[in-house]
Amino acid sequence: MADESTGTVVVAIVANLGIAVAKGVAGALSGSAAMISESAHSLADTTNEGLLLVAVKRSNRPADERHQFGYGRERYFWTLLAAVGIFVGGGVFSVMQGVNELRSPSHESGHFRLTYIVLAVSFVLEAISWLQASRQLRSDAAETDRGFHRQLWDTSDPAVTTVFFEDSAALVGLLIAASGVGLHEATGNHVWDGLASCAIGALLMVVAFLLAKENRSLLIGEAADPRLQRAVLELLTSYDEVDAVDEVLTTVIGRGEVLVAARIDLDDELTAGQVEALARRMEREIQQAHPTVKHFFLDVTADAGAAATSSDG
C-alpha cells in the first residue's frame, strides 16, 4: 500500500511540474492573470506533493526506542504543511494576482489560442493524475468495505486524499481560467480575467481548509472506525470469562494502524495465570480478526486477586 501511495504522488508531481511550466509560458505571453494564477497553483501543488512524498517515506520507518509506536503520524504532519502550502502558495497568491488585475488599467492581451491549448493539455494531464488518485481511493474503499465518500473523509492515508483534492481543485480551476480568458477575449474586458483569478484563489483556500482540518484531527489522535470499535467490543463481550466491558478506547497511529485499549471486569474466580492466558488469547484473536490493530492493551479489573494486565502486539 505504501508503494501505491508513492506511485500516486509521483504521478501527480510529474504532471503538475510540466503543467506549471506550460501555464507559466502561456501566462507570460498572454498577460492573463488567471493563467499566471494557475501556473502558481500548479507550482504550489508540485511543491506540496514533494512534501507528501516525504510524508509517505518517513512515516513508513519502523519503530525504534525513541518512537516506540512508529512514525505513522509523521505522515499527518507533512500533509498538514502541504495544506498550508495550498492556502498560501495557491490561494493567497491567486487572490492577490486577481485583485491586482482588477485594479490595473486595461491592457493589451493576446496569444489566446496558445492559452486554450495549454489549458486543454493541462486538463488532460490533471485528469490522468486525478484518475490515479481516484482509483487508489476506490481500491482502499473496497478493502475497508466503505463507500467512496466515507473513504475520502475517514481514510488514515491523507496523502492520497490530498492529491485527489488538489487535482479536483485543479480541474475546476482550469475550467474557471478558461471561462475568464474566454470572456476576456469575447468582451475585451480584463475584469473577467481578474475575477477568474480571485475565484481560483477562493477555491484553493476552501480546499486547504478542509485538508488542514482533517489532518489536524489525525495528528491530535482520531478514534478508529466506529465499526472496528463495535467489533472489538462484541468480541470482548463474547468471552465467557468476561463479566463486563467497561471501556474500549482506540486511536489511529498511522496508515492502516490502530491502537486499542480496553478495560474489562473478569470472573472473580480466575487465577492470575488464567487472566494472563486469556489476555494473550484476546490479543491474538483480535489481531487475527482485525489486522489493522497494531497494538492491543488490556486493563483487567477483578476482585479475586487478578492484577491489572497489559499486552502489546
Side-chain angles (χ1 to χ4, degrees), residues 132-307:
Q132 168 65 18
S134 179
R135 186 190 66 79
Q136 185 176 345
L137 281 169
R138 292 186 186 282
S139 175
D140 292 346
E143 289 182 6
T144 55
D145 193 26
R146 290 195 288 221
F148 181 82
H149 183 267
R150 281 201 58 199
Q151 180 65 25
L152 189 62
W153 293 108
D154 296 342
T155 180
S156 59
D157 184 7
V160 179
T161 302
T162 300
V163 172
F164 178 82
F165 272 108
E166 281 185 345
D167 290 342
S168 298
L171 291 172
V172 175
L174 287 167
L175 294 177
I176 294 173
S179 299
V181 172
L183 288 169
H184 183 187
E185 181 184 15
T187 64
N189 191 341
H190 73 287
V191 168
W192 293 109
D193 204 22
L195 290 175
S197 183
C198 290
I200 292 169
L203 172 67
L204 294 175
M205 288 180 179
V206 171
V207 169
F209 174 78
L210 293 174
L211 290 173
K213 182 180 178 182
E214 177 61 20
N215 281 284
R216 171 183 172 273
S217 179
L218 288 165
L219 194 58
I220 292 172
E222 193 173 274
D225 189 324
R227 295 177 303 170
L228 175 62
Q229 298 181 56
R230 289 193 297 269
V232 171
L233 178 61
E234 290 172 2
L235 185 56
L236 290 174
T237 55
S238 68
Y239 291 94
D240 294 334
E241 300 91 338
V242 176
D243 289 338
V245 178
D246 297 331
E247 192 173 31
V248 175
L249 302 175
T250 64
T251 185
V252 175
I253 59 174
R255 186 182 194 271
E257 296 183 352
V258 175
L259 182 150
V260 175
R263 181 177 293 110
I264 64 174
D265 290 329
L266 293 179
D267 186 335
D268 294 347
E269 296 183 0
L270 291 177
T271 65
Q274 289 173 321
V275 170
E276 182 178 354
L278 177 62
R280 292 297 180 185
R281 181 157 63 95
M282 286 178 172
E283 175 188 23
R284 182 176 64 254
E285 293 178 355
I286 285 175
Q287 292 182 328
Q288 286 176 347
H290 307 284
T292 57
V293 178
K294 183 72 172 178
H295 303 278
F296 175 71
F297 294 92
L298 192 62
D299 182 9
V300 178
T301 302
D303 296 332

